[in-house]
Amino acid sequence: LKALPTRRYECRPSRIAAAWLVLLLPSPAVATRIDDAQAVVLVECAAAWGRTFRGWREGGECNTAQFISCDGAGLVTAMWLDGRGLVGSIPTALGTLTSLTALNLCCNSLYGPIPASFSGLASLAYLDLQYNALSESIPDAISLMTALTSLFLSSNQLSGGIPPAIGALASLKQLYLPQNKLSESIPTEMGNLLELQSLFLDYNWVAGTIPDALSALTNLNHLSMAGNQLEGALPDFLTSFVALTQLYLNSNLLSGSIPAFIGNCVALEVLSLSNNRLTGVLPMSIGAMTNLRSINLYSNQLEGSIPSTIGQLEQLSWLSLSYNALTADLDDLTPLGNLVGLLLSGNAISGSIPTTIRELFSLQTLDVSNNELTGIIPSTISGLIHLTSLMLDHNKLVSPVPQGLSALTVLKLIDLHDNAFSEVLPPAFTKMKRAEYMKLSHNNFTGSIPASISSLQSLTYLDLSYTFLEGTIPTAISKMQRLSRLYLHISTLSGSIPATMGSMLNLQYLYVDPAATPCGAGRCEVVQYSGTAFCRACTNFCDTCTKVARAPPECKKKRRVCSSKSCPGRICIPFIRSCQGFKCI
C-alpha cells in the first residue's frame, strides 16, 4: 500500500523504431521482387519460427504488409516482426542478409543464443531483440556490426559479462541491456562509445565500481544502472555529463556521501539513488538543480536536516526520502507547489504538521508515517483536494481530527493508526466515499461504531482494532459488500457477530475479540488459522455458496483436512482441536 512507483519496460514500438520504419519503407508505387537467395533465407526463418508469411517465397514481392522492406535489387533491408508470435531460435542464416539495416524481433518467444553469424550484418544500424528468452552470452562477434547505432537486448536471459568487444561499436547511441543475468564488472572499453546517449544496464548482476573510463561518455543524457551490485562512491566525473537528464543508480551497494558537486548536474531531471548505503547529509547544492522533477533517495543512511534549498526546486513533482535518519522543517517544503508525491516515512522528523501544508495543492500522495510528529492535523489539510493517499501512522498526533478531511473527496487510502487520537469516532471518516483502505487502529477512539460507516461502499480494508469503541457491531456493516478484510479486535465491544454478515461474500478475514463478540446461537462457526471467527446463518449461507476453511499449520500434516473438494456446495469445517478430520454443513 505504500509501494513507490517503479519504472516499467513496456513492449511497444519506440520512437526510434518508428523513425526507422518511416525511413525504410519503400514507395507503395514500387513493387520489388525478393532476391531468390534471400527468399530462401526468409522461408527458413518462417519455418524455424512456426509461422507462414504469404510473400516470403521465391518470386514473391517485397511487401511491407508482410513486415519486410527491400531495396531496388530485391535485397531485404528491414524486418519488422515485433510481437508476431514467433517461437524458436534465431536461424544462423539470418546473418546472410547483409543488406539489413534494421531488424526488429522484439516481444516474441525466441530462445537460444544470439547467432555469431550476425557479424555478417555490417550494415545493420538498428537491432531490437528485447522481450524474448534469449540466453548464453552476448557474442564477441557483435564488434563487427560497426554500423550499429541502436542495440536493444533488454528482458532476456543473457548471461556472462558485458563483452569488452562492445567498445568497438563507435557509432552506438542507444544501448539497452536491462533485466538479464549479466554479471562481472563494467568493461573499461565501454568508455570508447563516445557517441552513446542512452546506457541502460538495470537489474542485472553487474558488480564492482563504476569505471573512470565512462567519464568520456559526455553525450550521455540517460544513465541507468539500477538493481545491480555496484559499489564504491559516486564518481566525480558525473559533473562532466552536462547533457545528463536522468540518473538511476538505485538498488546497488554504493557508499559514501552525496558530494556537493552533484549540484553541478544542472540538466538533471531525475535523480534516483535509493536503496544504497549512502551516508552523511544532503548537500545544500541540491537546490541548484532547478530542472529536477524527481528525487528518490529512500532507504539509505542519510542524516541531518533536509536542506531548505530543496524548496527552490519549483519543477519537482516527486520527493522520496523515506527510511533514513533525516530531520526537517516541513515549512521549507511548502513552496513546492508542483509536488505530487511527498514521502518522508521512517525518519526522525519532529514538530507539528504546518498549516502551510495547503500550499502543496498538487499533492496526491503524502506519507510522513513513522516519525515523531506531534500536535494536531491542521484543518488546512482540506486544501489538498487531489490527495489520494494519506499516511500519518506511527506518530504522536492528537485530537481533534479535522472535519476538513471530509473535503478530500478523492482520497482512497487513509492510515492514522498508532497515534494518540482520543475522541468519538469523527463523522469525517464516514464521508470518504471513495476510500478503499482505512486503518485507524491503536488509537483511543471512543463511542460506538456508527451505522453510517456502511456508506463507505468502496472500502475493501477497515481496521478499528485496539481502540475503545463500545456497543455492538452494527448490522448495517453487512452493506459493505466490497470489504475483504475487517479488523475489529476490540475488547470493549459487546453483543455477537451479526448474522447479516453472512451475506458479505467478499469478506476473507474478520478479526474480532472472541471473548467480546462470539458467534450467536444457531449459527455456523468456521474457524480459520488466523484466529478468525466467521459466523454464518446456516439456512441462508450454506445452500448458496461454497466456503472452505483453512486448517491451522499443525493440521496440514494430517490426511483429512479441508480442500476444495471436501464439501461440494457446502462449508467445510476442520476439527481444529483434534486435527483428525472435517465435517460438512
Side-chain angles (χ1 to χ4, degrees), residues 70-317:
C70 302
D71 61 15
L75 301 177
V76 179
T77 58
M79 298 177 69
W80 298 93
L81 295 165
D82 48 307
R84 296 298 167 184
L86 309 182
V87 180
S89 59
I90 301 175
T92 57
L94 197 57
T96 64
L97 301 181
T98 55
S99 294
L100 272 178
T101 58
L103 175 60
N104 189 342
L105 301 178
C106 169
C107 314
N108 287 291
S109 299
L110 301 175
Y111 51 81
I114 298 172
S117 63
F118 273 20
S119 61
L121 304 178
S123 299
L124 195 68
Y126 181 96
L127 176 60
D128 191 344
L129 303 178
Q130 298 179 104
Y131 301 98
N132 282 288
L134 299 173
S135 58
E136 301 185 24
S137 60
I138 300 172
D140 286 335
I142 203 168
S143 63
L144 300 177
M145 303 168 69
T146 53
L148 271 179
T149 61
S150 300
L151 176 58
F152 301 95
L153 302 178
S154 309
S155 300
N156 281 286
Q157 299 176 25
L158 299 171
S159 59
I162 301 170
I166 209 166
L169 304 179
S171 299
L172 202 62
K173 294 182 178 180
Q174 317 289 335
L175 177 58
Y176 284 57
L177 302 177
Q179 296 176 333
N180 280 287
K181 299 178 181 179
L182 299 173
S183 57
E184 302 178 20
S185 59
I186 300 171
T188 58
E189 288 81 358
M190 290 188 69
N192 297 330
L193 304 178
L194 303 182
E195 298 296 319
L196 203 61
Q197 297 175 3
S198 297
L199 174 58
F200 288 81
L201 302 179
D202 310 50
Y203 301 102
N204 282 286
W205 300 337
V206 179
T209 59
I210 301 173
D212 290 338
L214 297 191
S215 62
L217 307 183
T218 55
N219 288 314
L220 276 180
N221 55 50
H222 196 141
L223 175 58
S224 190
M225 299 180 178
N228 283 288
Q229 299 174 33
L230 297 172
E231 56 189 9
L234 292 174
D236 55 10
F237 60 73
L238 289 175
T239 57
S240 64
F241 294 168
V242 294
L244 194 66
T245 60
Q246 300 189 42
L247 176 62
Y248 292 91
L249 296 176
N250 51 287
S251 302
N252 278 289
L253 304 173
L254 299 174
S255 58
S257 61
I258 298 175
F261 65 68
I262 196 75
N264 296 329
C265 300
V266 293
L268 209 59
E269 298 176 5
V270 176
L271 174 62
S272 184
L273 303 175
S274 58
N275 198 23
N276 277 289
R277 299 174 179 177
L278 299 174
T279 57
V281 301
L282 283 174
M284 295 290 287
S285 60
I286 201 169
M289 304 167 70
T290 53
N291 286 307
L292 274 175
R293 300 178 184 274
S294 176
I295 298 176
N296 279 304
L297 300 176
Y298 66 89
S299 295
N300 279 288
Q301 300 167 32
L302 301 172
E303 57 188 7
S305 181
I306 298 173
S308 59
T309 53
I310 281 187
Q312 301 170 14
L313 306 180
E314 296 180 356
Q315 298 190 57
L316 197 66
S317 62

Side-chain angles (χ1 to χ4, degrees), residues 270-536:
V270 176
L271 174 62
S272 184
L273 303 175
S274 58
N275 198 23
N276 277 289
R277 299 174 179 177
L278 299 174
T279 57
V281 301
L282 283 174
M284 295 290 287
S285 60
I286 201 169
M289 304 167 70
T290 53
N291 286 307
L292 274 175
R293 300 178 184 274
S294 176
I295 298 176
N296 279 304
L297 300 176
Y298 66 89
S299 295
N300 279 288
Q301 300 167 32
L302 301 172
E303 57 188 7
S305 181
I306 298 173
S308 59
T309 53
I310 281 187
Q312 301 170 14
L313 306 180
E314 296 180 356
Q315 298 190 57
L316 197 66
S317 62
W318 189 266
L319 177 60
S320 178
L321 304 176
S322 297
Y323 305 109
N324 284 285
L326 297 167
T327 61
D329 182 346
L330 296 180
D331 262 324
D332 290 338
L333 304 179
T334 53
L336 302 175
N338 288 317
L339 207 61
V340 172
L342 176 59
L343 298 99
L344 302 176
S345 177
N347 280 289
I349 301 172
S350 59
S352 60
I353 300 173
T355 57
T356 52
I357 193 76
R358 65 177 178 272
E359 296 177 18
L360 299 176
F361 45 80
S362 299
L363 210 57
Q364 297 177 17
T365 299
L366 175 59
D367 184 359
V368 288
S369 60
N370 291 277
N371 279 289
E372 300 172 13
L373 294 173
T374 56
I376 64 172
I377 302 173
S379 59
T380 53
I381 201 169
S382 61
L384 304 181
I385 59 174
H386 301 293
L387 204 63
T388 59
S389 298
L390 175 61
M391 289 156 278
L392 304 178
D393 54 281
H394 289 93
N395 281 290
K396 300 174 184 178
L397 300 172
V398 298
S399 293
V401 174
Q403 290 303 306
L405 283 180
S406 61
L408 306 181
T409 56
V410 296
L411 195 66
K412 293 185 177 182
L413 183 155
I414 179 168
D415 191 345
L416 303 181
H417 85 275
D418 210 339
N419 276 287
F421 298 113
S422 56
E423 59 187 294
V424 173
L425 201 64
F429 293 132
T430 64
K431 297 178 181 179
M432 299 175 180
K433 305 300 184 183
R434 296 191 184 183
E436 299 175 4
Y437 180 103
M438 183 178 291
K439 190 168 185 177
L440 307 176
S441 61
H442 294 85
N443 280 290
N444 299 321
F445 290 120
T446 58
S448 60
I449 301 174
S452 57
I453 203 167
S454 63
S455 64
L456 303 179
Q457 293 293 305
S458 297
L459 213 60
T460 61
Y461 183 110
L462 175 61
D463 188 355
L464 301 175
S465 297
Y466 302 102
T467 59
F468 293 95
L469 296 171
E470 300 175 325
T472 60
I473 300 174
T475 57
I477 210 167
S478 61
K479 297 178 183 179
M480 303 170 72
Q481 288 295 313
R482 294 187 180 181
L483 263 185
S484 62
R485 292 174 180 256
L486 177 58
Y487 298 83
L488 298 175
H489 201 285
I490 308 171
S491 61
T492 48
L493 287 180
S494 58
S496 59
I497 299 175
T500 54
M501 291 181 68
S503 65
M504 301 173 70
L505 302 184
N506 286 318
L507 194 63
Q508 298 177 13
Y509 293 94
L510 169 61
Y511 286 76
V512 297
D513 184 334
T517 49
C519 291
R523 301 192 187 123
C524 306
E525 183 174 349
V526 180
V527 182
Q528 293 196 343
Y529 158 53
S530 61
T532 301
F534 277 97
C535 300
R536 308 291 190 186

